[in-house]
Amino acid sequence: MTVNVLFAATENRWAEYEAPLRNAVSAAGIDAHIATDITPDQVDYIVYAPNSELQDFTPYTRAKAVLNLWAGVEAIVGNPTLRLPLCRMVDPALTQGMVEWVTGHILRLHLGMDAHIGAAPGTWAPQAPPLAFDTRVSVLGLGELGAACARALSALGFDVAGWSRSQKQIDGITCLSGAEGLDAALARADYCVLLLPKTPETENTINARTLALMPKGARILNPGRGPLIDDAALRAALDSGHIDHATLDVFRVEPLPADDPYWAHPQVTVTPHIASETRAAYSAKTVAENIRRGEADERFLHLVDRDAGY
């Protein structure tokens, strides 16, 4: 029997995904009709981006699951009309991209690359950088992306701890949880990587109080969510010298306005929300596997825990 798959996202996403999705679903052995305009009561699966025009799931009475194209689900998980199973997007390219961004920017700061790249010709200042063995990194958020980054940094020799709301266990990583665990993670963080979801509980995790807990000269990297940081508090900590540098990829307002103080701050690196991105050739395979699982009555991959909210 033909499976009807509704692609509910922006037009540019359809142009990007149409061929890879058809190929991935076919390779998974599924006879599927994939389109952007299927009658709601005939839809079996919804491939979904939260910025889609589709916001009311009530008419989709036959659908078995919503397969999110974004890694984050905070923009959809609170939708009161959504009663279907919801699967977050996890794919190798998304994870690999985040690992590369995080490790690359930490190594840039750790090795002091800017001083050599920007040095005047003839400058000879032979000062060896510190070793990773003596450098502590705390990763806030130990989901799929945070855990992968923690493992990669540990493999490079960094002393890595991770914090999450509920206790996790990851080989080689000191895992902390709860309010006391958060304070402990920040107090040891020469580098702090923010990979928490955006929820009411995580907003302004980095604030005046928590910044004061961090060692003088600490560095912050935020490829997670803009609202995790109290921006005024971070700028004050940078100006005072307590925080040495912030590398920021996400912001409360995007694109970051041209007059935002972060652009001109000498201790801030801005990247334009590029830390990680789903690539259709890879993420289409995740979608296809979940459709295959649904048709075989197997458990979906990356099913969202509604009680946890993410």
Side-chain angles (χ1 to χ4, degrees):
M1 185 178 75
T2 300
V3 175
N4 291 327
V5 180
L6 176 69
F7 189 89
T10 56
E11 288 185 13
N12 63 312
R13 281 295 197 181
W14 176 237
E16 177 186 358
Y17 269 90
E18 181 179 6
L21 193 55
R22 293 189 193 283
N23 292 338
V25 169
S26 177
I30 301 161
D31 178 17
H33 169 56
I34 306 171
T36 61
D37 58 353
I38 303 173
T39 304
D41 64 1
Q42 296 300 306
V43 172
D44 296 301
Y45 298 91
I46 303 173
V47 179
Y48 187 74
N51 62 349
S52 163
E53 293 182 2
L54 194 168
Q55 297 297 318
D56 182 4
F57 293 90
T58 306
Y60 295 89
T61 53
R62 174 169 136 178
K64 297 179 181 180
V66 174
L67 310 177
N68 208 39
L69 287 176
W70 296 4
V73 295
E74 59 266 24
I76 179 179
V77 73
N79 187 321
T81 70
L82 180 60
R83 295 288 182 263
L84 299 165
L86 171 65
C87 302
R88 71 173 70 248
M89 173 52 68
V90 176
D91 76 74
L94 187 72
T95 302
Q96 182 66 17
M98 185 61 76
V99 167
E100 291 180 12
W101 188 94
V102 168
T103 55
H105 280 281
I106 285 183
L107 286 172
R108 166 204 168 195
L109 295 167
H110 175 70
L111 297 174
M113 291 180 177
D114 290 4
H116 301 287
I117 294 169
T123 301
W124 187 262
Q127 182 175 353
L131 290 174
F133 300 149
D134 304 317
T135 305
R136 300 168 300 177
V137 180
S138 289
V139 179
L140 306 190
L142 290 175
E144 191 84 18
L145 299 179
C149 290
R151 292 188 186 98
L153 291 164
S154 179
L156 288 170
F158 289 98
D159 178 359
V160 181
W163 179 85
S164 54
R165 188 177 67 169
S166 58
Q167 185 64 37
K168 300 289 181 70
Q169 183 172 349
I170 303 173
D171 290 345
I173 309 299
T174 300
C175 294
L176 304 167
S177 63
E180 291 184 3
L182 176 61
D183 288 358
L186 291 168
R188 66 172 309 280
D190 299 316
Y191 292 85
C192 178
V193 181
L194 302 175
L195 280 167
L196 294 164
K198 176 184 174 293
T199 70
E201 293 76 24
T202 62
E203 185 166 3
N204 292 331
T205 294
I206 299 301
N207 55 51
R209 186 193 76 82
T210 54
L211 285 163
L213 296 173
M214 299 178 69
K216 181 176 173 57
R219 282 88 177 256
I220 292 173
L221 294 87
N222 187 16
R225 294 289 185 266
L228 298 177
I229 293 177
D230 178 334
D231 296 307
L234 176 57
R235 286 194 296 268
L238 289 163
D239 291 342
S240 72
H242 183 69
I243 299 299
D244 178 70
H245 195 92
T247 301
L248 309 175
D249 185 60
V250 289
F251 306 90
R252 291 175 185 268
V253 178
E254 295 185 1
L256 187 65
D259 61 352
D260 190 283
Y262 280 140
W263 284 114
H265 202 293
Q267 293 156 267
V268 174
T269 299
V270 171
T271 63
H273 204 145
I274 56 163
S276 192
E277 179 64 63
T278 54
R279 273 81 166 179
Y282 294 92
S283 53
K285 295 176 182 178
T286 300
V287 170
E289 173 60 14
N290 262 334
I291 294 173
R292 186 201 67 76
R293 285 172 176 249
E295 292 306 288
D297 291 324
E298 298 175 9
R299 180 176 171 81
F300 291 114
L301 289 172
H302 316 305
L303 193 63
V304 172
D305 180 353
R306 300 297 182 81
D307 293 332
Y310 51 87

